[in-house]
Amino acid sequence: MDTFIKIAHRGASGHEPENTLRAFEKAIELGADMIEFDVHVCKSGEAVVMHDATVDRTTNGKGEIVGKALKELKSLDAGKGEKIPTLEEVLNLIDRKTKVNIELKRSETAEPVTKIIHNYVLNKDWSYDDFLVSSSDFAELKSFFDKKIPVKLGVIIRKGNSGLKNIIFRKYSYLDFAKSINAFSIHFSKFLASSKRIKEARRQGFSVFVWTVNSESEIKKFKARKTDGIFSDFPDRL
Ligand code: G3P
Ligand code: MG
């Protein structure tokens, strides 16, 4: 990839409540090339856009997403009066104005996300190329890969969960795992994004994106390390 990609992390979450339609609207307004958001599946089976497994931190409610039906989730305030959006509501708002990066947060997300992507491509004029699907849950990413849907895949490498406990990862290096699922990109936490790791991943043909980078000095640092894109809560700073 030749051009640098500006990725809005959880939407423009430095300006508006994370993972809400407001944050996604703001990211479009600020000129993001791609919008990243996180997907869980709730009790009634819908794919909903939220970061944590519980609603405690980002809403006025309490409890796990898997324990709540969509109707109950919709009664909560996700900040500034915003509701927790479904994946479809987010795609409808973005409407191909930017690329989207769907992060699979939990097991059992691959199936509903696959169905929704197919539907948007077959019936709503989206293209498979509009999507980048990523996860640090390697089993879920592998299960998404096995569905043979022609979208790009990204492997997330995070501190404390670099996949070492993961059954798949135990056998391979993360780059070998990425190759085994024909991944497009490696998404490093900034704490792991050394020049050496970035260089090696790019040498092996992967695009490299780093998260979550908000300060001007760090943005400069990771650009100098020749990353292909940066995730920021402030896409306007990229
Ligand atoms: O996908 C990049 C980044 O979003 C991964 O971390 O915890 O913000 O979802 P997190
Ligand atoms: Mg994320």
Side-chain angles (χ1 to χ4, degrees):
M1 189 181 292
D2 300 326
T3 44
F4 180 84
I5 311 280
K6 299 187 254 180
I7 311 164
H9 181 244
R10 309 181 197 174
S13 59
H15 298 280
E16 298 292 351
E18 68 177 56
N19 283 330
T20 63
L21 295 184
R22 251 181 115 109
F24 302 133
E25 214 158 21
K26 189 74 180 174
I28 295 167
E29 184 192 313
L30 295 176
D33 302 306
M34 184 182 277
I35 298 178
E36 184 264 1
F37 52 84
D38 311 285
V39 167
H40 289 262
V41 174
C42 67
K43 194 178 171 188
S44 46
E46 291 85 358
V48 292
V49 174
M50 276 206 81
H51 181 270
D52 300 359
T54 74
V55 299
D56 302 17
R57 180 179 61 86
T58 55
T59 76
N60 56 346
K62 278 215 174 311
E64 291 201 54
I65 298 172
V66 285
K68 293 183 190 300
L70 184 62
K71 198 172 168 204
E72 194 183 344
L73 290 175
K74 282 289 184 189
S75 71
L76 303 176
D77 184 341
K80 297 188 179 173
E82 288 288 296
K83 303 284 177 213
I84 296 169
T86 62
L87 174 55
E88 284 103 325
E89 286 166 343
V90 172
L91 295 179
N92 292 344
L93 176 109
I94 294 176
D95 195 25
R96 297 194 78 199
K97 293 187 182 82
T98 70
K99 303 278 187 195
V100 298
N101 174 202
I102 302 177
E103 181 179 345
L104 307 176
K105 271 295 181 204
R106 275 250 169 138
S107 57
E108 287 161 36
T109 45
E111 177 77 31
V113 169
T114 303
K115 280 192 184 143
I116 290 169
I117 293 177
H118 278 312
N119 181 33
Y120 274 69
V121 172
L122 298 176
N123 303 314
K124 295 179 191 263
D125 280 339
W126 282 62
S127 146
Y128 289 114
D129 192 47
D130 293 324
F131 297 94
L132 168 62
V133 172
S134 62
S135 191
S136 53
D137 180 332
F138 298 126
E140 199 59 21
L141 203 52
K142 170 76 169 64
S143 124
F144 189 87
F145 168 72
D146 288 339
K147 298 191 181 307
K148 306 276 177 246
I149 176 167
V151 299
K152 295 189 204 75
L153 296 184
V155 175
I156 299 177
I157 306 297
R158 65 172 76 239
K159 209 176 175 183
N161 177 21
S162 55
L164 287 169
K165 291 191 192 114
N166 185 290
I167 228 158
I168 294 169
F169 194 67
R170 228 179 253 157
K171 292 188 277 183
Y172 306 106
S173 79
Y174 59 88
L175 293 178
D176 286 340
F177 170 67
K179 260 181 239 162
S180 78
I181 60 161
N182 197 23
F184 169 77
S185 47
I186 308 292
H187 305 186
F188 287 112
S189 149
K190 67 178 178 182
F191 302 109
L192 298 170
S194 62
S195 299
K196 195 175 162 194
R197 286 197 181 103
I198 292 170
K199 202 170 163 193
E200 182 56 20
R202 292 187 90 231
R203 192 187 69 78
Q204 294 201 30
F206 300 104
S207 285
V208 170
F209 304 135
V210 179
W211 52 275
T212 305
V213 188
N214 288 333
S215 76
E216 304 283 357
S217 61
E218 281 194 315
I219 289 169
K220 211 169 148 193
K221 177 174 88 181
F222 287 111
K223 280 188 174 174
R225 288 184 189 177
K226 300 212 185 317
T227 51
D228 299 281
I230 287 177
F231 293 85
S232 180
D233 300 335
F234 300 92
D236 41 321
R237 294 181 187 170
L238 296 174

